[in-house]
Amino acid sequence: MMEKISIGWQKQPNKLNIQGTIEKAIELVTKQKVDLNASGRTDAGVHAKGQVANFKTDCKIPIEKFAIAINTNLKKSIRIIKAEEVEERFHSRLSCKRKTYRYVINNSEYGTAIYRNLETHIPMKLNVDRMNEAAKYFEGEHDFKAFKASGTSSKNSVRTIYKAEVIKMPEERIYIELTGSGFLYNMVRIISGTLVDVGIGKIEPEDIPNIIKEQKRELAGKTLPPQGLYLMNVEY
Amino acid sequence: MMEKISIGWQKQPNKLNIQGTIEKAIELVTKQKVDLNASGRTDAGVHAKGQVANFKTDCKIPIEKFAIAINTNLKKSIRIIKAEEVEERFHSRLSCKRKTYRYVINNSEYGTAIYRNLETHIPMKLNVDRMNEAAKYFEGEHDFKAFKASGTSSKNSVRTIYKAEVIKMPEERIYIELTGSGFLYNMVRIISGTLVDVGIGKIEPEDIPNIIKEQKRELAGKTLPPQGLYLMNVEY
């Protein structure tokens, strides 16, 4: 399990990325080239508090020493929080049962200087009760075609959301928390943008079932920026 | 009132600083050169959540428009939170009655990637009860000569601490909060370093009165790094 900031996950030539950076650190520890599989990619700007990735090695270093050994070879913008041995068939993405994302909004008049890369500032006053009412309509199994980035390959866009909640936090922050079987590309950021439209009164909570049903991207809200998004937890 | 990150307050030639940056933004709004007085300098790396600064102008823009007008001319790393008119004699530093600082420690095993510039990671387990017991000895009027950066001009090092508290927070964070009449250079960071020594058992809580009395810098703990320090509040 690991935590990272802002840099994208996927390996790209000549571009800073989490996957390649950790693979190199593991290589320094195990003296073996490894392939690191994450539970899913995270875009540049998105934060991960509980990302999970697996790799195979026959290195004999005791498992309880792995996290600290890899951290020693990483910059502080990536931290391995925990390492554990798993069965041969385990795959971080394919074995994943549930994921939880949090979207963090700062709803104060001027936003904050200190957390400006760690939240999205929305100065218009949001009605959290309305947003929470709307969030409940996302729960259950639906085709979320309207809530994926246009242009991304579709195949199957049916997903199950187990829990969708909008929570008022101290210092004028709002958390949007979604737990689901899996999420389409930009799905959390588009659902969050739609809930913001509900919060400012542009969309009614009861409109949500129809937006889901129509499967048209343009009926849903804007894609909110990446810096408010956190991958919180992956369950197996 | 304003919030800023990591850049130092004081004007220095050819160096990014908060004072000069805000003065320029104010000039763009008022069309007048101004001198901005803060309640005190903050070093590079230190964060301010509630810094206060004043300036004189005969600009006719209504006071309630000032914050938004200045913010428009500032990068998001500095935010004006509030602007208000004060009496002619008011001076942010000289009129100040009390200041509150918070020092934020992450006491988890590996620290965090996301907040690495916003807290100080100390992996050794700290005993918060002992630290809090020690903190109480700092309350009251004392000569804090042992708790200022060596080499800084002394004059009068007597200050009053109204409240000193160590608080256990969620996610293995610890807050050290000090409210006082004023603070010497590096005083909060040295007191925090001394409390950390108490937390790991190197210093006993009952040793504090003697460390204060002896007035020797070397008896106190280390100066903790700037990125854990927040100026929270200035009272007049």
Side-chain angles (χ1 to χ4, degrees):
Chain A
M1 189 158 89
M2 74 193 71
E3 202 188 295
K4 70 108 192 181
I5 53 128
S6 42
I7 313 154
W9 172 266
Q10 207 176 30
K11 265 199 279 196
Q12 285 171 280
N14 306 321
K15 239 185 140 177
L16 203 60
N17 65 80
I18 304 285
Q19 188 182 4
T21 306
I22 303 181
E23 284 179 355
K24 261 181 224 158
I26 295 172
E27 200 185 324
L28 287 169
V29 172
T30 63
K31 318 292 176 202
Q32 296 178 319
K33 279 214 177 295
V34 298
D35 284 315
L36 197 61
N37 299 306
S39 71
R41 286 177 279 160
T42 44
D43 287 341
V46 174
H47 317 287
K49 274 175 97 82
Q51 175 66 289
V52 175
N54 70 289
F55 64 94
K56 286 180 187 176
T57 182
D58 42 31
C59 166
K60 296 286 174 275
I61 294 173
I63 186 67
E64 64 275 15
K65 304 278 184 200
F66 251 99
I68 196 158
I70 302 172
N71 279 334
T72 306
N73 293 293
L74 286 172
K75 284 197 186 167
K76 294 206 165 161
S77 53
I78 311 172
R79 287 290 91 182
I80 309 300
I81 301 165
K82 207 168 105 181
E84 53 186 297
E85 251 183 285
V86 287
E87 49 168 339
E88 186 84 24
R89 291 179 315 169
F90 179 90
H91 188 290
S92 297
R93 184 169 51 83
L94 303 173
S95 314
C96 165
K97 295 266 188 301
R98 296 152 66 105
K99 273 184 182 181
T100 299
Y101 280 94
R102 175 186 293 167
Y103 199 91
V104 179
I105 293 169
N106 183 310
N107 200 210
S108 68
E109 195 169 1
Y110 299 119
T112 77
I114 297 172
Y115 303 103
R116 69 195 186 289
N117 297 321
L118 298 173
E119 60 189 19
T120 296
H121 177 223
I122 297 178
M124 288 163 296
K125 270 288 149 270
L126 300 174
N127 183 326
V128 173
D129 291 337
R130 275 175 59 97
M131 290 170 78
N132 208 16
E133 206 186 315
K136 296 299 155 204
Y137 290 108
F138 287 105
E139 293 182 353
E141 189 185 75
H142 304 285
D143 190 326
F144 285 100
K145 206 172 169 188
F147 300 89
K148 69 181 185 65
S150 56
T152 51
S153 67
S154 61
K155 293 171 207 162
N156 181 0
S157 47
V158 175
R159 296 290 183 278
T160 301
I161 291 186
Y162 301 111
K163 197 172 178 188
E165 215 178 354
V166 184
I167 310 156
K168 212 173 188 141
M169 298 298 292
E171 301 190 333
E172 302 182 83
R173 283 194 179 77
I174 295 167
Y175 287 176
I176 297 171
E177 291 198 339
L178 302 174
T179 299
S181 59
F183 293 88
L184 302 162
Y185 192 57
N186 280 357
M187 179 168 152
V188 180
R189 289 160 58 186
I190 299 170
I191 289 179
S192 298
T194 308
L195 290 174
V196 164
D197 281 350
V198 173
I200 59 171
K202 203 173 146 189
I203 295 178
E204 295 302 313
E206 330 45 273
D207 293 342
I208 300 294
N210 198 47
I211 297 174
I212 296 174
K213 209 175 118 212
E214 291 278 338
Q215 303 191 9
K216 287 186 189 123
R217 172 69 189 88
E218 62 271 25
L219 294 181
K222 273 188 290 202
T223 307
L224 294 191
Q227 78 268 16
L229 186 59
Y230 293 74
L231 171 58
M232 295 302 289
N233 193 21
V234 187
E235 292 167 74
Y236 293 95
Chain B
M1 190 160 84
M2 71 190 75
E3 203 188 295
K4 70 108 191 182
I5 55 130
S6 46
I7 314 154
W9 172 266
Q10 205 176 32
K11 265 199 280 194
Q12 285 172 282
N14 305 318
K15 239 185 142 175
L16 203 61
N17 65 80
I18 304 286
Q19 187 183 4
T21 307
I22 303 180
E23 284 179 356
K24 260 182 224 155
I26 295 173
E27 197 185 326
L28 286 168
V29 172
T30 62
K31 315 292 176 206
Q32 297 177 316
K33 279 215 181 294
V34 297
D35 282 315
L36 197 60
N37 299 305
S39 71
R41 286 178 278 162
T42 45
D43 286 340
V46 174
H47 317 289
K49 276 176 98 81
Q51 176 65 289
V52 175
N54 72 288
F55 64 93
K56 287 182 187 175
T57 182
D58 44 30
C59 165
K60 297 283 174 275
I61 296 173
I63 186 65
E64 64 275 15
K65 304 277 184 202
F66 251 102
I68 198 156
I70 302 173
N71 279 332
T72 306
N73 292 294
L74 286 172
K75 287 199 186 161
K76 294 208 166 161
S77 53
I78 310 172
R79 287 291 92 181
I80 309 300
I81 302 165
K82 209 167 105 183
E84 53 186 298
E85 250 182 287
V86 286
E87 47 168 338
E88 185 86 23
R89 289 179 315 165
F90 179 89
H91 187 287
S92 296
R93 183 167 52 81
L94 302 174
S95 315
C96 166
K97 294 266 187 298
R98 294 151 67 105
K99 275 185 180 182
T100 298
Y101 280 94
R102 176 186 292 166
Y103 200 91
V104 180
I105 294 169
N106 183 307
N107 200 211
S108 69
E109 197 170 359
Y110 300 118
T112 76
I114 298 171
Y115 304 105
R116 71 195 183 289
N117 297 323
L118 299 173
E119 60 191 17
T120 295
H121 176 223
I122 297 178
M124 290 163 293
K125 269 289 148 272
L126 299 174
N127 183 325
V128 174
D129 291 337
R130 274 176 59 97
M131 290 169 77
N132 208 16
E133 209 185 313
K136 294 299 155 206
Y137 290 108
F138 286 104
E139 294 182 349
E141 188 185 75
H142 304 286
D143 189 325
F144 285 100
K145 207 173 169 190
F147 300 89
K148 70 181 185 61
S150 56
T152 50
S153 65
S154 60
K155 291 174 212 161
N156 181 359
S157 45
V158 175
R159 296 290 184 276
T160 300
I161 292 187
Y162 300 111
K163 199 174 177 189
E165 216 180 354
V166 185
I167 310 156
K168 214 174 187 142
M169 297 296 293
E171 300 190 336
E172 303 182 81
R173 280 193 183 82
I174 295 167
Y175 287 176
I176 297 170
E177 290 197 341
L178 301 175
T179 300
S181 59
F183 293 89
L184 301 163
Y185 192 56
N186 281 358
M187 179 169 152
V188 180
R189 289 160 60 187
I190 299 171
I191 290 179
S192 298
T194 307
L195 291 173
V196 164
D197 280 349
V198 172
I200 60 171
K202 204 175 146 190
I203 294 178
E204 295 303 314
E206 342 25 289
D207 294 344
I208 301 295
N210 198 48
I211 297 174
I212 297 175
K213 210 175 115 211
E214 289 280 335
Q215 304 193 7
K216 289 187 189 123
R217 173 69 190 86
E218 61 271 25
L219 294 182
K222 272 186 290 200
T223 307
L224 293 190
Q227 79 269 15
L229 186 60
Y230 293 74
L231 171 59
M232 296 301 291
N233 193 22
V234 186
E235 292 166 76
Y236 292 94

